[in-house]
Amino acid sequence: MNQNNLAEPLDFNLTCPIPIADYPRVTLAHGGGGRLMRDLIQKMFLSAFNNPYLNQLTDGASLAMTGAKLAFTTDSYVVRPIFFPGGDIGSLAIHGTINDLVMCGAKPLYLSVGLILEEGLPMTDLWRVINSMSSAAKLANVQIVTGDTKVVDQGKGDGIYINTSGIGQLYKDPIGPHLVKPGDGLILSGDIGRHGIAIMAVREGLEFESKIESDSASLAAVVDDLMTSGIEIHCMRDLTRGGLASGVIEIAQSSKSQINLVEDAIPVREDVQGACEILGLDPLYVANEGRFVVFAPKSEIDRTLDIMRRHELAKESALIGQVRTGTGGLVSLKTKIGTSRIVDLLSGEQLPRIC
Amino acid sequence: MNQNNLAEPLDFNLTCPIPIADYPRVTLAHGGGGRLMRDLIQKMFLSAFNNPYLNQLTDGASLAMTGAKLAFTTDSYVVRPIFFPGGDIGSLAIHGTINDLVMCGAKPLYLSVGLILEEGLPMTDLWRVINSMSSAAKLANVQIVTGDTKVVDQGKGDGIYINTSGIGQLYKDPIGPHLVKPGDGLILSGDIGRHGIAIMAVREGLEFESKIESDSASLAAVVDDLMTSGIEIHCMRDLTRGGLASGVIEIAQSSKSQINLVEDAIPVREDVQGACEILGLDPLYVANEGRFVVFAPKSEIDRTLDIMRRHELAKESALIGQVRTGTGGLVSLKTKIGTSRIVDLLSGEQLPRIC
């Protein structure tokens, strides 16, 4: 059972709308601009993502917005394997781009989907991914309004790569590192490291007592509550590639402030910690797909925690650090044994292709 | 010399900002969220695409719009080879998404760029592509405001795939097939088939007397003149995958009208015609990347032609057909020998991976 209960396709029992007997696998012709591509778009994509914008079937969607302050974001997803405990590349692509928008302080409205399919991809895998995208988008109340499909030769891709770009409407002026101030509290929305470890466990064939599932989830609802609470949120960041450490370091650098973290306050599940030890990883750097940090003024920390904890996916929210005057760009960690160490960017990555 | 003179990088003599001696090729770590990725983004992408939106370096760009009617589009580019006569995957990705926006009747403003790089891609190839994107965007006066970079293992990509999504501002209410009416004239902006043949010639090692170059170009300037001319343009379509035939068929189907084309009026260069014969292709279905059709009221055809012909890339614009009452969805072609034939969608594609 996915702990966030958001990534499960709602209705995967629906029959694949492309006849599997005729087209068991994606062919180059499905990306060729002819009848097969039209069928794929009309029978599969339009039925799954059904909305008036997409149904126009023009090269782009024409959108009406009630306001003129937008956020715009893009992300490509190349996760391997495409199905993993707690999600798949489809729900991940929807959640990820929604989360990028909400982290800018924007309400997500419209998404685009660009598919790069590898010739030979089983048609049922494509259908399962499309279904999962549709479910994730509906649950987060965003619309997939425009799309594109390309097919590359076998051996020039890896099943499916997905780009999702998104448009959101800013709640107010943009938030970000430029608003981060000494004294701000740093709140983390829950335990870290689950997404990266869920992926690695599948790849490495690791077995744990309880299955470790990705934390992949849309943060739209909890951020909506925060942004409409009247609390002056300064900055938010989701903790994807590079994990908590890289996210916080980037903010320390952009805001030219020092950030002090307290290791004891950062929740890591025991099984995730154990897996990290086996794999030689530091959970601070492991990717998450449904975790975020919030920078809020000191006086608003309790109220921020209170709002976040009302949401199942942020019920373990905790204050994990503070912004200080001091050395701009520096992140320090007070360890469990009471010493202090500098947290630095890794040169590459711990885990390739986890998103 | 590129006939449109738009796709040539302006300043490729600039030194690659990533030290080639240290990093001759893209590594998995360049996509890992750590220091190498930060360097790539800051030293290469920010310096090439430099603008205040992108420089915020947050997960998404915050944009101000003066108006609330938008167009939104996405396209992935997987063309092989990535460098070809008349352009490369970078300029193609910029032109293509700009063209999708202008075909909706929108002025292109902001683009996103999502890169999927294959481990081992020569760093200088990446730099050349980035430079070309930067030049194409500057020439068309659009800004690349947000981006994403992923690196996949060697053998799981093909050098570089690019997604570009775009936001434009509608000139007025959306145009499209729903406005197409019997009596409308169908104007084509120039000769067809050059992009597809330029790509195939490289792949197949074909030599022609004169080099056939892609027609890849931004249509923003000519469409801007059309949309601000006061002419009531009904519909436009760029003639990419599937060529002129597929574009016109789609419009006939969406608008439930019959469209009659006159083969004699459709310009095809002699060398392109020759290459099509060698390769067994019908130029009507060959992809273009800088050609488009315009549906305009009968009374405005001359004025439309006049405006289009003022632009170098549309100087050979010609009336090639007419919308008729008749069989909805049907496209018929009056051939050079005076007979009439039905133009139908191909099932797949003539040419894989030409965009």
Side-chain angles (χ1 to χ4, degrees):
Chain A
M1 187 63 201
N2 177 353
Q3 301 196 351
N4 302 308
N5 205 17
L6 290 180
E8 303 288 340
L10 290 179
D11 42 16
F12 182 57
N13 291 329
L14 288 176
T15 315
C16 178
I18 301 290
I20 302 293
D22 299 340
Y23 298 104
R25 291 176 182 275
V26 171
T27 66
L28 279 172
H30 282 108
R35 246 188 304 120
L36 288 187
M37 186 165 110
R38 187 194 58 188
D39 284 358
L40 193 65
I41 292 171
Q42 293 194 338
K43 293 182 186 164
M44 188 184 288
F45 303 159
L46 288 193
S47 74
F49 301 149
N50 178 44
N51 66 66
Y53 298 110
L54 186 64
N55 297 352
Q56 294 165 358
L57 265 196
T58 51
D59 277 338
S62 300
L63 309 172
M65 307 278 295
T66 55
K69 281 188 176 172
L70 303 184
F72 181 31
T73 188
T74 192
D75 249 315
S76 300
Y77 296 84
V78 299
V79 65
R80 177 171 64 85
I82 61 174
F83 302 106
F84 50 81
D88 58 65
I89 192 171
S91 51
L92 187 70
I94 299 294
H95 295 155
T97 291
I98 287 174
N99 292 350
D100 279 350
L101 288 171
V102 299
M103 292 297 106
C104 302
K107 192 179 176 69
L109 296 175
Y110 303 115
L111 298 187
S112 67
V113 172
L115 300 172
I116 298 179
L117 309 178
E118 186 191 8
E119 182 189 12
L121 174 73
M123 192 62 78
T124 47
D125 282 2
L126 176 59
W127 174 232
R128 193 170 153 199
V129 168
I130 294 296
N131 241 280
S132 167
M133 299 186 84
S134 165
S135 301
K138 276 178 198 146
L139 272 166
N141 209 20
V142 300
Q143 291 182 300
I144 293 165
V145 296
T146 189
D148 175 61
T149 304
K150 294 291 188 307
V151 182
V152 296
D153 344 27
Q154 198 146 24
K156 299 293 181 188
D158 199 6
I160 178 167
Y161 297 146
I162 302 178
N163 176 283
T164 41
S165 300
I167 297 179
Q169 182 129 18
L170 290 176
Y171 286 95
K172 46 187 181 182
D173 285 335
I175 61 172
H178 61 286
L179 297 180
V180 168
K181 287 182 187 61
D184 281 1
L186 174 49
I187 294 166
L188 170 64
S189 69
D191 69 295
I192 58 169
R194 263 199 282 134
H195 177 73
I197 295 302
I199 299 287
M200 287 309 286
V202 180
R203 282 202 220 151
E204 304 289 326
L206 299 182
E207 300 270 348
F208 304 102
E209 254 175 65
S210 56
K211 189 155 72 171
I212 298 177
E213 294 195 319
S214 168
D215 61 324
S216 174
S218 157
L219 299 172
V222 55
V223 171
D224 189 57
D225 277 1
L226 284 175
M227 294 304 292
T228 56
S229 66
I231 296 174
E232 188 200 317
I233 301 293
H234 288 161
C235 183
M236 295 185 286
R237 184 64 57 99
D238 55 345
L239 306 173
T240 55
R241 269 185 293 183
L244 173 65
S246 306
V248 172
I249 291 167
E250 276 172 35
I251 292 170
Q253 290 176 343
S254 301
S255 65
K256 297 181 176 58
S257 55
Q258 177 172 332
I259 298 175
N260 291 357
L261 301 175
V262 179
E263 190 171 21
D264 244 348
I266 301 170
V268 181
R269 261 171 44 171
E270 214 172 303
D271 50 3
V272 170
Q273 182 69 54
C276 280
E277 281 163 19
I278 293 168
L279 295 164
L281 300 172
D282 181 342
L284 285 181
Y285 294 88
V286 174
N288 313 273
E289 289 292 341
R291 290 286 171 252
F292 68 117
V293 288
V294 180
F295 291 78
K298 197 169 179 178
S299 59
E300 300 278 25
I301 289 171
D302 287 343
R303 207 149 70 91
T304 306
L305 280 169
D306 183 50
I307 290 171
M308 291 173 68
R309 286 176 181 155
R310 278 182 227 154
H311 290 261
E312 180 65 22
L313 58 68
K315 67 177 184 213
E316 288 175 40
S317 292
L319 182 68
I320 63 158
Q322 206 186 13
V323 180
R324 308 294 292 264
T325 52
T327 311
L330 186 82
V331 176
S332 86
L333 179 79
K334 195 179 154 200
T335 65
K336 289 185 184 183
I337 53 169
T339 59
S340 215
R341 72 172 172 92
I342 289 171
V343 181
D344 205 358
L345 274 187
L346 297 183
S347 83
E349 67 189 325
Q350 289 194 316
L351 308 171
R353 293 186 54 192
I354 39 71
C355 62
Chain B
M1 186 66 202
N2 177 355
Q3 301 198 350
N4 301 307
N5 205 15
L6 289 180
E8 303 289 338
L10 291 180
D11 42 16
F12 183 56
N13 290 328
L14 288 176
T15 315
C16 176
I18 302 291
I20 302 295
D22 299 341
Y23 298 104
R25 292 177 181 275
V26 171
T27 66
L28 280 172
H30 282 109
R35 246 186 305 120
L36 288 187
M37 186 165 111
R38 186 193 59 188
D39 284 357
L40 193 64
I41 292 172
Q42 294 195 337
K43 293 181 185 165
M44 187 184 288
F45 303 159
L46 289 193
S47 74
F49 300 151
N50 179 43
N51 67 65
Y53 299 110
L54 187 64
N55 297 351
Q56 294 165 0
L57 267 196
T58 51
D59 278 337
S62 300
L63 309 172
M65 307 277 295
T66 56
K69 282 189 175 169
L70 302 184
F72 180 31
T73 188
T74 193
D75 249 315
S76 300
Y77 296 84
V78 300
V79 64
R80 179 170 65 83
I82 60 174
F83 302 105
F84 49 81
D88 58 64
I89 192 171
S91 52
L92 187 70
I94 299 294
H95 294 154
T97 292
I98 285 173
N99 291 350
D100 279 350
L101 288 172
V102 299
M103 292 298 106
C104 303
K107 192 180 177 67
L109 297 174
Y110 304 115
L111 298 187
S112 67
V113 172
L115 300 172
I116 298 179
L117 308 178
E118 186 191 8
E119 182 189 14
L121 174 72
M123 191 62 78
T124 47
D125 282 2
L126 176 60
W127 174 231
R128 194 171 151 198
V129 169
I130 294 295
N131 241 280
S132 167
M133 298 186 85
S134 165
S135 301
K138 275 177 199 147
L139 272 165
N141 209 18
V142 300
Q143 291 183 297
I144 294 166
V145 296
T146 189
D148 175 62
T149 305
K150 293 292 188 305
V151 181
V152 296
D153 344 27
Q154 196 147 27
K156 299 294 181 187
D158 199 5
I160 177 167
Y161 296 147
I162 302 178
N163 176 283
T164 41
S165 300
I167 297 178
Q169 182 130 19
L170 291 176
Y171 287 95
K172 45 187 181 180
D173 285 336
I175 61 172
H178 62 285
L179 297 180
V180 168
K181 287 181 187 60
D184 281 0
L186 174 49
I187 295 166
L188 170 64
S189 68
D191 69 295
I192 58 169
R194 264 199 282 133
H195 177 73
I197 296 301
I199 299 285
M200 287 309 287
V202 180
R203 283 202 219 150
E204 305 289 327
L206 299 183
E207 301 270 347
F208 304 103
E209 253 174 67
S210 57
K211 189 155 72 172
I212 298 176
E213 295 195 318
S214 169
D215 62 323
S216 173
S218 157
L219 299 172
V222 56
V223 171
D224 190 57
D225 278 1
L226 285 174
M227 295 303 292
T228 55
S229 66
I231 297 173
E232 190 199 318
I233 301 293
H234 288 162
C235 183
M236 295 185 286
R237 184 66 55 100
D238 55 345
L239 307 172
T240 55
R241 268 185 295 183
L244 173 65
S246 308
V248 173
I249 292 166
E250 276 171 34
I251 292 170
Q253 291 177 342
S254 301
S255 66
K256 298 182 176 56
S257 54
Q258 177 171 334
I259 298 175
N260 291 358
L261 301 176
V262 179
E263 190 171 22
D264 245 349
I266 301 169
V268 181
R269 262 172 42 172
E270 213 172 304
D271 50 3
V272 170
Q273 183 70 52
C276 280
E277 280 162 20
I278 293 169
L279 295 164
L281 300 172
D282 180 343
L284 285 180
Y285 295 88
V286 175
N288 312 274
E289 289 291 341
R291 289 287 171 252
F292 68 117
V293 287
V294 180
F295 291 78
K298 197 170 181 179
S299 59
E300 300 277 25
I301 290 171
D302 287 343
R303 207 148 69 92
T304 306
L305 280 168
D306 184 51
I307 290 171
M308 291 173 68
R309 287 176 181 156
R310 278 182 229 155
H311 290 260
E312 180 65 22
L313 56 69
K315 68 178 181 211
E316 289 175 39
S317 292
L319 182 68
I320 63 158
Q322 205 186 14
V323 181
R324 307 294 292 265
T325 50
T327 311
L330 186 83
V331 176
S332 86
L333 179 80
K334 194 179 156 201
T335 65
K336 289 183 184 186
I337 53 170
T339 59
S340 216
R341 71 172 172 93
I342 289 172
V343 181
D344 205 357
L345 272 187
L346 297 184
S347 82
E349 66 190 324
Q350 290 195 314
L351 308 171
R353 293 186 54 192
I354 39 71
C355 62

Short mmCIF file of all heavy atoms in Angstrom, two decimals, chain B residues 242-261:
data_model
loop_
_atom_site.label_atom_id
_atom_site.label_comp_id
_atom_site.label_asym_id
_atom_site.label_seq_id
_atom_site.Cartn_x
_atom_site.Cartn_y
_atom_site.Cartn_z
N GLY B 242 4.89 14.47 -41.25
CA GLY B 242 3.74 14.15 -42.09
C GLY B 242 3.56 15.13 -43.23
O GLY B 242 2.75 14.91 -44.13
N GLY B 243 4.31 16.25 -43.17
CA GLY B 243 4.36 17.18 -44.30
C GLY B 243 3.06 17.93 -44.57
O GLY B 243 2.14 17.97 -43.75
N LEU B 244 3.01 18.52 -45.77
CA LEU B 244 1.85 19.30 -46.20
C LEU B 244 0.58 18.46 -46.17
O LEU B 244 -0.47 18.90 -45.66
CB LEU B 244 2.10 19.82 -47.63
CG LEU B 244 0.92 20.53 -48.31
CD1 LEU B 244 0.57 21.83 -47.60
CD2 LEU B 244 1.25 20.82 -49.78
N ALA B 245 0.67 17.24 -46.68
CA ALA B 245 -0.53 16.41 -46.79
C ALA B 245 -1.18 16.19 -45.42
O ALA B 245 -2.37 16.46 -45.22
CB ALA B 245 -0.19 15.06 -47.43
N SER B 246 -0.38 15.73 -44.44
CA SER B 246 -0.95 15.41 -43.13
C SER B 246 -1.51 16.64 -42.45
O SER B 246 -2.58 16.58 -41.81
CB SER B 246 0.10 14.74 -42.24
OG SER B 246 0.69 13.66 -42.91
N GLY B 247 -0.81 17.77 -42.57
CA GLY B 247 -1.29 19.01 -41.95
C GLY B 247 -2.64 19.42 -42.51
O GLY B 247 -3.56 19.77 -41.76
N VAL B 248 -2.76 19.37 -43.83
CA VAL B 248 -4.01 19.80 -44.46
C VAL B 248 -5.15 18.80 -44.17
O VAL B 248 -6.29 19.21 -43.92
CB VAL B 248 -3.80 20.01 -45.98
CG1 VAL B 248 -5.12 20.29 -46.68
CG2 VAL B 248 -2.82 21.16 -46.22
N ILE B 249 -4.82 17.51 -44.15
CA ILE B 249 -5.85 16.51 -43.84
C ILE B 249 -6.39 16.72 -42.42
O ILE B 249 -7.60 16.69 -42.18
CB ILE B 249 -5.28 15.07 -43.97
CG1 ILE B 249 -4.99 14.77 -45.44
CG2 ILE B 249 -6.25 14.04 -43.39
CD1 ILE B 249 -4.13 13.52 -45.65
N GLU B 250 -5.50 16.97 -41.48
CA GLU B 250 -5.94 17.19 -40.10
C GLU B 250 -6.90 18.37 -40.02
O GLU B 250 -7.89 18.32 -39.29
CB GLU B 250 -4.75 17.44 -39.19
CG GLU B 250 -4.09 16.16 -38.68
CD GLU B 250 -2.78 16.44 -37.95
OE1 GLU B 250 -2.67 17.50 -37.28
OE2 GLU B 250 -1.87 15.62 -38.08
N ILE B 251 -6.59 19.42 -40.76
CA ILE B 251 -7.46 20.60 -40.72
C ILE B 251 -8.80 20.30 -41.40
O ILE B 251 -9.86 20.70 -40.92
CB ILE B 251 -6.75 21.81 -41.35
CG1 ILE B 251 -5.59 22.23 -40.44
CG2 ILE B 251 -7.72 22.98 -41.55
CD1 ILE B 251 -4.66 23.25 -41.04
N ALA B 252 -8.76 19.55 -42.50
CA ALA B 252 -10.01 19.17 -43.18
C ALA B 252 -10.88 18.36 -42.23
O ALA B 252 -12.10 18.56 -42.16
CB ALA B 252 -9.70 18.37 -44.44
N GLN B 253 -10.24 17.46 -41.49
CA GLN B 253 -11.01 16.61 -40.57
C GLN B 253 -11.56 17.42 -39.39
O GLN B 253 -12.73 17.31 -39.04
CB GLN B 253 -10.14 15.45 -40.06
CG GLN B 253 -9.84 14.43 -41.18
CD GLN B 253 -8.93 13.31 -40.76
OE1 GLN B 253 -8.23 13.41 -39.76
NE2 GLN B 253 -8.91 12.22 -41.54
N SER B 254 -10.70 18.24 -38.77
CA SER B 254 -11.15 19.02 -37.61
C SER B 254 -12.23 20.01 -38.00
O SER B 254 -13.16 20.28 -37.24
CB SER B 254 -9.99 19.80 -36.99
OG SER B 254 -8.98 18.94 -36.58
N SER B 255 -12.09 20.60 -39.19
CA SER B 255 -13.04 21.65 -39.59
C SER B 255 -14.23 21.06 -40.35
O SER B 255 -15.15 21.78 -40.70
CB SER B 255 -12.34 22.68 -40.48
OG SER B 255 -11.95 22.08 -41.71
N LYS B 256 -14.19 19.75 -40.58
CA LYS B 256 -15.26 19.05 -41.31
C LYS B 256 -15.54 19.71 -42.67
O LYS B 256 -16.68 19.86 -43.08
CB LYS B 256 -16.55 18.98 -40.47
CG LYS B 256 -16.34 18.18 -39.18
CD LYS B 256 -17.61 18.05 -38.36
CE LYS B 256 -17.40 17.18 -37.14
NZ LYS B 256 -16.29 17.63 -36.25
N SER B 257 -14.46 20.11 -43.32
CA SER B 257 -14.63 20.72 -44.63
C SER B 257 -13.82 19.94 -45.67
O SER B 257 -12.98 19.11 -45.32
CB SER B 257 -14.16 22.18 -44.60
OG SER B 257 -12.85 22.24 -44.12
N GLN B 258 -14.13 20.19 -46.93
CA GLN B 258 -13.33 19.59 -48.00
C GLN B 258 -12.29 20.60 -48.45
O GLN B 258 -12.59 21.80 -48.56
CB GLN B 258 -14.22 19.18 -49.18
CG GLN B 258 -13.42 18.61 -50.35
CD GLN B 258 -14.29 18.01 -51.43
OE1 GLN B 258 -15.41 17.57 -51.17
NE2 GLN B 258 -13.79 18.01 -52.65
N ILE B 259 -11.08 20.13 -48.70
CA ILE B 259 -10.03 21.04 -49.16
C ILE B 259 -9.51 20.52 -50.49
O ILE B 259 -9.14 19.35 -50.62
CB ILE B 259 -8.90 21.15 -48.13
CG1 ILE B 259 -9.46 21.73 -46.81
CG2 ILE B 259 -7.76 22.02 -48.66
CD1 ILE B 259 -8.47 21.77 -45.67
N ASN B 260 -9.53 21.38 -51.50
CA ASN B 260 -9.02 21.02 -52.82
C ASN B 260 -7.66 21.67 -53.05
O ASN B 260 -7.53 22.90 -52.95
CB ASN B 260 -10.00 21.48 -53.91
CG ASN B 260 -11.29 20.68 -53.88
OD1 ASN B 260 -11.44 19.77 -53.07
ND2 ASN B 260 -12.23 21.04 -54.76
N LEU B 261 -6.67 20.86 -53.37
CA LEU B 261 -5.32 21.36 -53.63
C LEU B 261 -5.01 21.27 -55.12
O LEU B 261 -5.53 20.39 -55.81
CB LEU B 261 -4.28 20.52 -52.87
CG LEU B 261 -4.40 20.46 -51.35
CD1 LEU B 261 -3.35 19.50 -50.79
CD2 LEU B 261 -4.22 21.85 -50.74
#
